[in-house]
Amino acid sequence: MKAKTQPTDKPVTQKSLFFWAFHNNLKWQLLLLLLIAIMVIARVIPLEMQKRIVNEAIVLKLFDQLLLYCTIYLLAVTVTGASKLCVNFLQARIGERAMFSMRKELYSHIISLPLLFFRNTQPGVVVASLMTELASAGTFAGMALAAPVSNILTLLAFAGYLLWLHPQLALSILAIYPIVVILVPYLQKKANRLNKKRVDQSRLVASQITESITGIHEINVHGASSVEKQKFNQLIERLRSIRLKWSLFRFGIKSVNNYFVNLGPFIVFIFGGYLVMNGQLALGSMVAFLSAQEKLYDPWKELIEFYQVYQDASVRYQRTMKSFDVPPVPLLTGDGKDSVSIDGALELSDVGYTIAEGKALLQQVSFSLQPGQHLALVGFSGSGKSTLVQCIAKMFDYTSGSIQLDGIEIKNMQKDELIGHMGYISQNPFIFSGSVIDNLLYAHRSAHINYSIEKETYHPPSLDHLILSLQQAGFFVDVIRFGLETVYEHSPTAVTSKIITMRENFKNNFGSTLECYIEFYDYNAYLQYSNILENLTFSVSRDPENTINALFTHTFFIDFLSKHNLISPLLTLGTQIAKQSVEYYLTPGNKEKATLATPIAVGNASKYASLFSRLDTTPNYELSHEEQCLLLKPALLYKAGIQSSFSMPPGLTTSILAARSYWTQLSDKEYTRLLTPLKNDEPLQGQSVFNNILFGKMKTDESLPNEKVNQAIIRLLIEEDCLEDVAEAGMQYNVGNMGDNLSGGQRQKLAIARVLLKKPKVILMDEATSALDNTSQARIQRLIERWKGERTVIAVVHRLDTIKHFDAVGVMKSGKMVEYGTYEELMGCKGGLYELVTGKKAQE
């Protein structure tokens, strides 16, 4: 095995703040210096022009000279403005480049830190450090050269010009600034101490917010919102107090600076005026003095602001880098991966793991496995089973003993040498935001990506290998279902071209056997599992409630209902539904149960209650258009086959079927685009592939009928050679934020599939099937049994009825392996395993 070379670059946490200002920015900094030189020269010229305009052009009444000096003045001001704009843009560019580099390198460093670091570090601290704390450092990096150089040169240029005009007056003005240079840093030191406290307290607040949001389910279920509010209020109260004191010193620095700067005009007026009156200073020179003194304030102000930005950025930067100044776990080295042959032999000798607090989590654990052997780890909670597996996976560095893979010490192996040959599946697998395929390829990509100086290359496995891993993990049917839920317009071309064929074959081949589960669309029949609007229009809508709201905005729709004598029976039905729903919701205890099948949502009950109150108290009350629509809506959403608590008025079904033919003649109306007409020989636009093939409504949501329907559709997909296309579409399904769109079992099956895809020689399973149902667990158990002789398996097992088929069983207790042997041997000894399996006290 070839030894890996470690990078010699200084760690990102030990790089100075000034490093980023010049890192990859040298040419831009040189360009800045050139622009600054031009800007400084251009800023001095107007002072001289002011003096000449007054002393020469105006006093001597020379209009040509006036035009010349004014033109030069205007050009100088224009050049100053343009160069200042360029300087500011380049500062921003350098700052953004520096911030990008800082965030990229620090993030790369953070995700390579050992897991132990994250036990004591909240995610909020990491987020705040990367996104907030480094922002001021990036701003400073852009200013690091330009701000001090431009402002110091400007001060020197103005000071030199003033000394040239009149040394005594110039020195009297410049004498103010040494006082400020002494006083401002003194105040800044106090502000810095408070700023450090502010940064630390802000991190605590960010951590508290992250912890609360992450644990929102626990807060909700325990009703602990008041406890969390109190903790948060205490933290932000402390932060408020610190920020107020910090702001006082910040504003105090500006006030002191402004006070001394404003003494300049006073000196010019009192001393300069005296000199002018005694003929020792020309009037134009005094005007230039006034202007220069005023302009002296700008660079001085910017220097003070730069100093404050530096102090703030320095505090934040040092605090941030110190927080993450931890040696990283050796990861990818950038020179490609070695091709190492691993058989899967594992040998542990006196392995121990002691954390920083001195607590020993593992003690003298020893055993050996030949390639392809399987070991089940059992024991009570806290016995060290998971910790042992995580040490083998090199998630934690064991502190004593030896773990060898094919005779090579794991501690001395680079992480990238290990990940291609070892797979780890946890009890609570993490699913990343993105698609199924993104998560499926996650482990395989990490194990097979090749790095070079210029780029990284990755060759994903074939579709057959992807499907095989999904099938082995029992996730393939879920992926097919995701593919079938793809909207028709976004489905693969091969599927869209065969939709009508599969629809016809589905009804011909499976219609008679599945009609007890499906109500197929029939133009001549009333559809019990479709709502009244869909029956009336013989169409489907993706959002029926909003479709009805849109139709109510067209007077023609109400006229259509009236023309076919549907208003009265629909109002009767809507009133019946609304009254029973309001009565149910207002009955104590029922609102929480919400077992009544009704098209009216709980939140809308108050609207109907208010309407009925007006109807009961006002004789001959006439419904307004809005009130009429309010009662028509639940009627139009009513599904007779599902909402059986309500009954349709006599003759309404017949009237709806009679009006249906008239509605279909209006298909050229613009508002009918809200609905997709049901036509046997046309696809349903805006509907899923599943609904297009089914061309009907499921009568139940029970698992067995749905499974039978899915199996029938899968058979059709196979016959039409579309199964792989649907699977590919299903792999694009968005799993949501951290897999929120997946069930617990689906997340675990996806985690198993992504490990199986890279075909590791050693598989570590930390209660990897705990979230699966019995059928799925049995499937994974059969798969594990087929791995015997091919892959070495160490499984932390929670179901003891599955360990009989393992080659060996290890019983853990208090961080030690107290028993090791075959299932029959350990049960015969009637020790720790016997106690776990039978619940009877082990023999002493």
Side-chain angles (χ1 to χ4, degrees), residues 669-706:
K669 296 289 185 181
E670 181 178 354
Y671 56 83
T672 58
R673 294 178 185 174
L674 298 166
L675 299 153
T676 302
L678 297 170
K679 297 181 180 180
N680 286 309
D681 56 350
E682 292 183 10
L684 302 178
Q685 303 293 331
Q687 296 293 308
S688 66
V689 172
F690 179 85
N691 289 339
N692 266 277
I693 297 174
L694 191 70
F695 202 65
K697 290 283 183 73
M698 292 294 298
K699 296 180 180 180
T700 176
D701 58 359
E702 294 179 1
S703 58
L704 181 60
N706 278 277

Side-chain angles (χ1 to χ4, degrees), residues 227-243:
V227 176
E228 294 301 317
K229 288 177 185 176
Q230 184 179 9
K231 287 159 60 177
F232 181 74
N233 290 344
Q234 290 174 349
L235 289 173
I236 60 174
E237 171 60 27
R238 172 66 176 159
L239 179 61
R240 182 190 68 83
S241 175
I242 294 171
R243 286 185 63 89

Side-chain angles (χ1 to χ4, degrees), residues 47-65:
L47 300 177
E48 178 65 18
M49 293 303 103
Q50 290 178 31
K51 185 191 77 172
R52 296 191 180 192
I53 287 171
V54 174
N55 291 345
E56 298 178 17
I58 295 177
V59 173
L60 301 177
K61 300 181 180 180
L62 299 174
F63 185 71
D64 292 343
Q65 294 287 62

Side-chain angles (χ1 to χ4, degrees), residues 137-156:
T139 302
F140 170 76
M143 302 169 60
L145 178 67
V149 170
S150 63
N151 289 301
I152 289 174
L153 286 180
T154 302
L155 278 173
L156 291 175

Side-chain angles (χ1 to χ4, degrees), residues 315-328:
V315 169
R316 291 185 178 213
Y317 181 81
Q318 291 172 13
R319 275 285 198 271
T320 298
M321 293 307 177
K322 185 178 180 180
S323 298
F324 303 108
D325 192 15
V326 177

